[in-house]
Amino acid sequence: MSTVRQVQVTFDCAEPERLARFWCEVLGYVVPPPPPGSDSWQAFDDQLPPEQRGRAFACVDPQGVGPRLFFQRVPEGKVVKNRVHLDVRVGPGLVGAERLAALDAERDRLVALGATQVRRMLADGVDESCIVMQDVEGNEFCLD
């Protein structure tokens, strides 16, 4: 059995670059360098046939620890709840009011970037508080 060495998370979306740049801001990720022979991603994109332009974009963890995020344009829109989502860990180890303050501060930052709060779930004795959000294309994620 082979060992998995890397994981990439792929998002189907309408606007790959817009969604990638949103997630760069959320996670502190960066856009990787363009392919060899291209001065910029725009120059690379301009070399593609018109129907292929803007079809994909990516972002990476500058520390090389987190997974690469890949965004690909698909013709259909999002219809139902995600079966897989990202948990953005902003309050690990925090509880009570301190945790809620950290979650609320991050929520406010992400709302300013175009995210939407779906619901705020308070600690229930089993699970700690979290906030369910949607990114700029309506994909769910949690502030945890």
Side-chain angles (χ1 to χ4, degrees), residues 71-129:
F71 303 85
Q72 62 186 7
R73 186 175 58 219
V74 296
E76 65 277 355
K78 181 177 175 305
V79 179
V80 297
K81 183 182 182 306
N82 302 11
R83 293 290 305 254
V84 174
H85 67 269
L86 300 181
D87 286 342
V88 178
R89 309 290 319 272
V90 297
L94 301 177
V95 296
E98 187 178 17
R99 181 180 179 88
L100 287 172
L103 294 174
D104 288 343
E106 185 65 1
R107 177 209 50 217
D108 293 347
R109 183 180 81 84
L110 300 183
V111 165
L113 296 173
T116 305
Q117 177 178 322
V118 175
R119 71 183 165 279
R120 190 174 190 235
M121 299 168 62
L122 298 177
D124 60 8
V126 175
D127 294 315
E128 281 298 331
S129 299

Side-chain angles (χ1 to χ4, degrees), residues 8-99:
Q8 171 175 284
V9 178
T10 301
F11 289 73
D12 291 347
C13 58
E15 297 180 62
E17 183 173 353
R18 177 178 180 237
L19 193 55
R21 291 191 183 280
F22 170 83
W23 281 103
C24 281
E25 291 294 323
V26 171
L27 301 174
Y29 273 36
V30 297
V31 175
S38 296
D39 293 338
S40 67
W41 279 106
Q42 184 63 53
F44 173 77
D45 211 42
D46 289 345
Q47 298 172 26
L48 298 173
E51 68 277 3
Q52 294 293 316
R53 292 179 187 153
R55 69 175 174 77
F57 213 80
C59 59
V60 297
D61 178 354
Q63 303 302 315
V65 176
R68 179 178 190 253
L69 303 182
F70 183 74
F71 303 85
Q72 62 186 7
R73 186 175 58 219
V74 296
E76 65 277 355
K78 181 177 175 305
V79 179
V80 297
K81 183 182 182 306
N82 302 11
R83 293 290 305 254
V84 174
H85 67 269
L86 300 181
D87 286 342
V88 178
R89 309 290 319 272
V90 297
L94 301 177
V95 296
E98 187 178 17
R99 181 180 179 88

